Amino acid sequence: IVLQTMVLVAFTRAGLMRAAKDTFESMPEIDLVCCNAIVSSFCMNGYLQEAKRFLEKLPCQSLDLLNSLLSGYARERNIENALCLFKNMPQHDPCACTTVIVMLIHEGKLTEAQSVFYKMPHKDLISLNTILHAYASNGYLYEAVSLFEREMPVHDRVSVTAMISAFGQEGETSKAKEIFDQIPQTDLVSWTSLLSCYVQNGCLESARQIFESMTQRNILSWNTMLCGYAQSGHLEEAKNIFMNMPQRDVVSWTAFLTVFCNAGDIDSAFEIFLRIPQKDSVCWNAMLTTYARNGHLEESKRHFDTMPKHN
RNA sequence: UAACCGCUGUGAUGCUA
């Protein structure tokens, strides 16, 4: 059993689910370990109907397996099955609750997410952070602050990052900075969110200082700084960032395109647009906006008709 | 029983409304 289980697991890690399943079915005897292995790998690879069928045959269904299936449903946004499974689970651990809460938030059902949250017997830091972030990013600043200050015994970088973007969206840059200064251990994400806060509020000098003092940067931090210059029409600075960044993605290209949109330089914008690898709907829209904002009705109509997708 | 490692539920960037 042990050897065959090892083979089975090797197949699942390689994504060869068919072979894993054949291995499982050829086993003369099975035990809990190999059952768990096959079912959880079905879940992780999106074979949920298979997972469910196997799971129903097992004499005892471990909470871990039910959680795996639940997160499988959540991943493919199968709300109905997820909620049904959740209701019928013998226990709701923080992991299962958080999975459902995230799914509900994703669906815009904040009230339902809240009610799952309130019923949790043990609210761990991750579930608190999840709800905090939902408040913070949906404009419920008061609720976010109150949760953060009154109901959370401890905070980590994730909690603080949520608060920074909440304050940032409300234009409270100094409160964002105040909270940032309380983080015991900052990381790239918290630095970038403070950077983004300054950028969103047009504090380009503070943004620049933050950006320069960052000990590490990734494409998101470069993009954030680029957006700051792009949105405020700082052509030279934007060019400088764009030329010096180690890598570029669609976001970088689109941000750079908007510099020319704002400057009314349609030809340069279009040149940029043509060079964007892997165009997505946002960059198509950005080009459309460039025509529309600058009074080129005919061009914008033509561009609209060539767009692969409209939203 | 403990330590370490790996996986797993939460955080940061672009157009428009």
Side-chain angles (χ1 to χ4, degrees), chain A residues 87-300:
Chain A
K87 263 179 207 158
N88 294 317
M89 283 167 74
Q91 282 176 49
H92 293 154
D93 69 2
C95 185
C97 294
T98 307
T99 301
V100 168
I101 289 171
V102 168
M103 189 185 70
L104 291 170
I105 290 169
H106 218 98
E107 292 296 305
K109 300 179 174 173
L110 193 53
T111 315
E112 292 178 40
Q114 261 179 319
S115 95
V116 174
F117 174 72
Y118 286 131
K119 284 179 200 147
M120 290 176 69
H122 302 294
K123 299 174 176 60
D124 68 357
L125 186 54
I126 294 188
S127 59
L128 284 159
N129 282 341
T130 303
I131 276 295
L132 181 71
H133 179 250
Y135 289 152
S137 56
N138 287 287
Y140 297 100
L141 182 60
Y142 176 81
E143 284 80 356
V145 171
S146 144
L147 184 71
F148 185 81
E149 287 177 351
R150 289 204 257 285
E151 287 173 61
M152 297 180 68
V154 290
H155 304 138
D156 67 359
R157 292 180 291 210
V158 177
S159 341
V160 168
T161 305
M163 292 310 295
I164 290 173
S165 50
F167 283 129
Q169 277 163 28
E170 300 297 322
E172 307 257 24
T173 51
S174 50
K175 287 205 172 156
K177 180 65 163 64
E178 213 173 279
I179 282 213
F180 177 83
D181 289 334
Q182 293 169 14
I183 313 181
Q185 291 185 335
T186 55
D187 67 0
L188 184 52
V189 177
S190 34
W191 277 88
T192 308
S193 76
L194 181 64
L195 178 65
S196 172
C197 168
Y198 284 131
V199 162
Q200 279 167 17
N201 292 286
C203 312
L204 287 183
E205 185 46 31
S206 303
R208 193 190 60 79
Q209 283 172 17
I210 292 295
F211 185 73
E212 310 251 304
S213 60
M214 287 171 73
T215 51
Q216 36 171 297
R217 296 170 192 145
N218 64 7
I219 192 157
L220 272 76
S221 32
W222 282 93
N223 282 344
T224 306
M225 195 64 243
L226 175 62
C227 290
Y229 289 132
Q231 287 158 4
S232 55
H234 290 68
L235 179 58
E236 285 311 311
E237 288 86 346
K239 263 186 192 163
N240 191 30
I241 293 284
F242 188 76
M243 300 311 281
N244 284 309
M245 50 199 298
Q247 309 112 28
R248 300 176 190 114
D249 62 9
V250 213
V251 176
S252 333
W253 284 94
T254 308
F256 196 46
L257 191 157
T258 58
V259 185
F260 297 102
C261 172
N262 293 334
D265 185 349
I266 296 170
D267 294 337
S268 301
F270 189 61
E271 261 176 52
I272 298 297
F273 179 75
L274 289 177
R275 293 173 60 197
I276 304 181
Q278 313 213 338
K279 297 178 179 54
D280 66 2
S281 62
V282 175
C283 78
W284 277 92
N285 285 340
M287 192 61 228
L288 179 63
T289 304
T290 305
Y291 288 128
R293 287 267 171 89
N294 291 287
H296 290 236
L297 185 58
E298 288 307 316
E299 296 287 1
S300 73

Side-chain angles (χ1 to χ4, degrees), chain A residues 6-160:
Chain A
M6 287 169 73
V7 171
L8 187 159
V9 169
F11 280 137
T12 67
R13 297 230 169 121
L16 302 168
M17 292 310 296
R18 181 78 217 182
K21 194 182 162 191
D22 290 344
T23 305
F24 182 82
E25 279 166 352
S26 71
M27 289 173 73
E29 274 183 280
I30 55 173
D31 65 1
L32 205 61
V33 176
C34 73
C35 289
N36 282 351
I38 190 81
V39 175
S40 65
S41 63
F42 276 142
C43 292
M44 289 196 305
N45 291 287
Y47 297 83
L48 302 183
Q49 63 283 52
E50 292 280 12
K52 194 179 176 224
R53 198 183 315 147
F54 274 71
L55 195 58
E56 278 163 355
K57 282 189 238 159
L58 296 182
C60 81
Q61 305 174 345
S62 76
L63 202 58
D64 279 345
L65 287 186
L66 293 173
N67 281 346
S68 298
L69 184 57
L70 182 66
S71 73
Y73 286 141
R75 204 178 312 128
E76 64 175 36
R77 303 214 188 159
N78 191 333
I79 321 293
E80 239 176 80
N81 284 4
L83 289 179
C84 174
L85 174 62
F86 186 68
K87 263 179 207 158
N88 294 317
M89 283 167 74
Q91 282 176 49
H92 293 154
D93 69 2
C95 185
C97 294
T98 307
T99 301
V100 168
I101 289 171
V102 168
M103 189 185 70
L104 291 170
I105 290 169
H106 218 98
E107 292 296 305
K109 300 179 174 173
L110 193 53
T111 315
E112 292 178 40
Q114 261 179 319
S115 95
V116 174
F117 174 72
Y118 286 131
K119 284 179 200 147
M120 290 176 69
H122 302 294
K123 299 174 176 60
D124 68 357
L125 186 54
I126 294 188
S127 59
L128 284 159
N129 282 341
T130 303
I131 276 295
L132 181 71
H133 179 250
Y135 289 152
S137 56
N138 287 287
Y140 297 100
L141 182 60
Y142 176 81
E143 284 80 356
V145 171
S146 144
L147 184 71
F148 185 81
E149 287 177 351
R150 289 204 257 285
E151 287 173 61
M152 297 180 68
V154 290
H155 304 138
D156 67 359
R157 292 180 291 210
V158 177
S159 341
V160 168

